[in-house]
């Protein structure tokens, strides 16, 4: 039976740890610290020495008004519960698939043949076109494994259609994927890397021979018209799937009923394909940065930079690494880096989905954007560094997707509240009707305090050895 949602949820608070002396070994840093991957810190030139926002907003923010954690009952707004919900998602995949094809003509005129024994099975996938046609927003969808599935119905249903063949053992499974249309080359490598974690081979259109034969042949294509959240559409309604995923375990729905679990297949496939470098760095802490100028850029209150945050980690004797991940870097390199970390740090955002590459028992510390999260969305009259704060009754803080993901993957999740979330500014001519604190430019923290809390969490979980 489906339980009613737990209305209040009290997650692990990183602020509660680190006051006592920890057993975490101090790392002496004769070499350069931090260890910077892909040299992203070299490009940080922006320094913010003051808190930007109106005097009224800053005074109100000083009260540290923050939203309570709450697991909301998204299910009241959805027509699917439990296994029915799962079956509906599976129907979405199946309804837009052509199964057991005898043959199929590819766009380049070549024809492939099915129902020939002794050959591998094949799935032909066609990625949709423009986003306004329900297409793949490649630039946004492939920078991490979460968006690769959550924002990409083609990718997710490809994994599902491979899974439904009930292949035994670890992926990659003995099935071939054929990408039927062109994808920009800078993103094609990400598409292929993810698909290769579950498919035996992945062919581009020009790599398939005319008359090539397969034991079974299926095809997937899905166009979802006129909806911004093009993967949230189920049975012609905009269902709050994203929120349901985050609250699934708390209301008693088995974890294998949700797309998050299908990330596990991708993880298993990668672990069989890519070796984690050994020996691993002792007690490695990896802090992820967002690009300067993008929303939710984390800076230290004293230095006004992200560099200042990681410097405090070095000064505390932590083995701190930092990286800014993007789609120009090979996915296998992301996997190799993150799988070595004992702890992942970062502000709320999809880059935290890379936690799936970590070992069970590892930790994630997420910097929240709870402060000032009262109006959601925030009306335009409250935007700008001269505007008053929006002080309505605070909306519950439901950005719990990474807490949910951590629980699915056996990782301990902790939150860390910032000192200040910068007041929102609506860019000239932009549509800001749905902006909330996730769109804030700067998130200001005390780097030294965060370093102390990180050591406390590492000590609590026994993740480091002397």
């Amino acid at each position: 039976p489906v339980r009613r949602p737990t209305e209040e949820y009290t997650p692990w608070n990183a602020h509660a740890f680190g006051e006592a002396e920890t057993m975490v070994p101090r790392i002496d840093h004769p070499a350069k610290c931090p260890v910077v991957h892909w040299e992203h810190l070299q490009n940080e030139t922006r320094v913010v020495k003051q808190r930007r926002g109106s005097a009224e907003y800053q005074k109100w923010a000083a009260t540290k008004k923050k939203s309570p954690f709450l697991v909301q009952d998204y299910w009241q707004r959805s027509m699917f519960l439990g296994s029915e919900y799962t079956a509906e998602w599976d129907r979405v995949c199946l309804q837009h698939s052509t199964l057991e094809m005898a043959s199929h003509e590819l766009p380049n005129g070549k024809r492939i043949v099915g129902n020939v024994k002794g050959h591998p099975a094949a799935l032909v996938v066609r990625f949709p076109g423009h986003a306004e046609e329900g297409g793949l927003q490649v630039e946004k969808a492939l920078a991490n494994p979460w968006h690769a599935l959550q924002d990409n119905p083609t990718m997710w249903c490809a994994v599902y259609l491979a899974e439904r063949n009930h292949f035994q053992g670890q992926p990659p499974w003995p099935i071939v994927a054929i990408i039927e249309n062109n994808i920009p080359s800078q993103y094609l490598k990400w598409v292929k890397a993810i698909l290769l974690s579950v498919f035996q081979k992945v062919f581009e259109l020009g790599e398939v021979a005319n008359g090539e034969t397969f034991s079974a042949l299926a095809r997937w294509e899905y166009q979802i018209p006129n909806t911004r959240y093009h993967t949230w559409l189920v049975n012609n309604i905009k269902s709050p799937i994203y929120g349901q995923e985050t609250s699934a375990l708390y209301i008693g729905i088995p974890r294998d009923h949700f797309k998050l679990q299908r990330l596990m297949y991708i993880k298993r496939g990668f672990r069989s394909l890519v070796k984690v470098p050994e020996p691993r760095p002792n007690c490695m802490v990896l802090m992820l940065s967002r690009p300067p100028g993008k929303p939710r850029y984390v800076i230290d209150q004293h230095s006004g930079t992200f560099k200042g945050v990681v410097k405090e980690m070095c000064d505390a004797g932590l083995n701190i690494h930092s990286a800014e991940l993007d789609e120009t870097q090979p996915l296998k390199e992301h996997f190799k880096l993150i799988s070595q970390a004992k702890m992942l740090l970062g502000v709320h955002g999809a880059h935290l989905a890379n936690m799936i590459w970590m070992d069970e028992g590892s930790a994630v510390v997420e910097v929240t954007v709870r402060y000032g999260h009262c109006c959601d969305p925030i009306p335009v009259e409250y935007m700008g560094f001269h505007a008053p704060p929006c002080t309505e009754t605070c909306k519950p803080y439901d950005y719990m997707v990474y807490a949910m993901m951590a629980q699915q993957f056996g990782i301990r999740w902790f939150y860390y509240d910032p000192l200040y979330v910068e007041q929102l500014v609506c860019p000239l001519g932009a549509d800001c009707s749905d902006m909330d604190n996730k769109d804030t430019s700067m998130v200001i923290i005390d780097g030294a305090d965060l370093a102390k809390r990180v050591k406390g969490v590492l000590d609590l979980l026994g993740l480091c050895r002397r």
Side-chain angles (χ1 to χ4, degrees), residues 93-396:
C93 288
L94 292 174
Q95 284 173 354
H96 298 275
S97 302
T98 305
L99 305 176
E100 299 179 4
M101 295 191 300
S103 65
H104 175 64
E105 184 174 335
L106 298 169
N108 59 5
K110 295 180 181 179
R111 181 169 290 277
I112 53 179
V113 180
N115 301 323
V116 179
K117 294 183 179 180
H119 293 264
L123 173 66
V124 179
V125 292
R126 182 176 184 83
F127 288 90
H130 299 294
E132 54 268 23
E133 299 172 353
L136 167 65
Q137 295 183 0
V138 188
E139 297 86 347
K140 297 179 180 178
L142 297 178
N144 57 69
W146 171 242
H147 281 314
L149 294 188
Q150 179 69 35
D151 293 349
N152 186 339
T154 303
M155 197 77 76
W156 184 78
C157 284
V159 176
Y160 164 71
L161 290 168
E163 174 198 8
R164 74 184 295 270
N165 285 275
H166 304 295
F167 292 118
Q168 301 298 314
Q170 297 289 339
W173 294 311
I175 183 171
V176 172
I178 300 172
I179 301 174
E180 190 176 47
N181 57 320
N182 293 322
I183 299 174
S185 59
Q186 64 268 42
Y187 305 112
L188 178 60
K189 59 187 178 183
W190 266 73
V191 172
K192 294 182 72 172
I194 293 173
L195 291 178
L196 279 168
S197 67
V198 291
F199 290 89
Q200 190 175 63
K201 293 181 180 179
V202 178
F203 292 129
E204 298 174 45
L205 187 60
E207 297 175 331
V208 182
N210 188 42
E212 194 154 350
T213 54
F214 301 94
S215 61
L217 190 59
R219 182 175 182 270
W220 154 266
E221 181 179 8
Y222 193 16
Q223 298 283 346
I224 310 176
N226 303 321
T227 176
R228 180 177 176 211
Y229 302 106
H230 49 278
T231 59
W232 292 16
L233 197 69
V234 178
N235 218 21
N236 298 319
I237 66 167
K238 191 167 77 172
S239 179
I241 291 169
Y242 197 92
Q244 290 175 349
E245 298 254 347
T246 68
S247 56
L249 291 186
Y250 303 122
I251 62 176
I253 304 299
R255 66 182 63 188
D256 58 356
H257 284 192
F258 291 83
K259 297 204 307 295
L260 281 178
Q261 186 64 11
R262 290 194 165 98
L263 286 172
M264 191 67 78
Y265 294 123
I266 291 176
K267 180 176 184 176
R268 290 173 185 164
F270 261 95
R271 283 191 175 274
S272 67
L273 293 171
V274 182
K275 291 185 177 181
V276 179
E278 297 288 353
R280 302 189 188 189
N282 183 31
C283 200
M284 173 179 162
V285 176
L286 176 62
M287 186 163 191
L288 300 180
S289 169
R290 296 173 67 87
K294 295 291 186 180
R296 282 167 278 147
Y297 190 64
V298 173
I299 61 173
D300 176 61
Q301 67 167 339
H302 299 296
S303 67
T305 63
F306 179 80
K307 289 180 183 178
V309 177
V310 291
K311 181 181 182 300
E312 293 290 353
M313 301 283 177
C314 292
D315 292 346
L318 289 164
N319 184 11
I320 183 72
H321 293 230
S322 68
E324 181 185 306
L325 307 179
D326 63 39
E327 69 284 344
T328 66
Q329 302 144 0
L331 182 57
K332 67 178 182 180
E333 297 303 320
H334 287 191
F335 170 81
K336 288 195 289 188
L337 171 63
I338 294 161
S339 61
Q340 298 177 78
K342 295 291 187 181
M343 176 185 287
L344 194 65
L345 297 177
V347 71
H348 173 82
H351 57 185
L352 290 179
N354 289 283
M355 75 172 75
I356 72 166
W357 307 131
M358 300 170 73
D359 290 340
E360 288 191 15
S362 302
V364 170
V365 175
E366 176 177 340
V367 178
T368 75
V369 286
R370 286 204 296 159
Y371 290 174
H373 190 79
C374 292
C375 296
D376 184 14
I378 297 176
V380 176
E381 58 266 30
Y382 297 112
M383 296 182 189
F385 295 152
H386 302 288
C390 183
T391 57
E392 295 180 5
T393 302
C394 285
K395 176 185 178 292

Side-chain angles (χ1 to χ4, degrees), residues 421-443:
V421 173
E422 191 171 77
Q423 193 167 12
L424 283 180
V425 175
C426 180
L428 185 65
D431 178 10
C432 301
S433 58
D434 64 347
M435 286 182 70
D436 58 28
N437 273 5
K438 295 194 305 299
D439 301 296
T440 189
S441 178
M442 296 284 181
V443 177

Side-chain angles (χ1 to χ4, degrees), residues 75-91:
W75 299 91
Q76 292 178 348
R77 296 180 281 142
S78 175
M79 60 188 294
F80 308 115
L81 290 174
S83 59
E84 294 180 9
Y85 170 78
T86 305
E88 187 61 32
W89 251 118
D90 293 349
R91 279 195 293 272

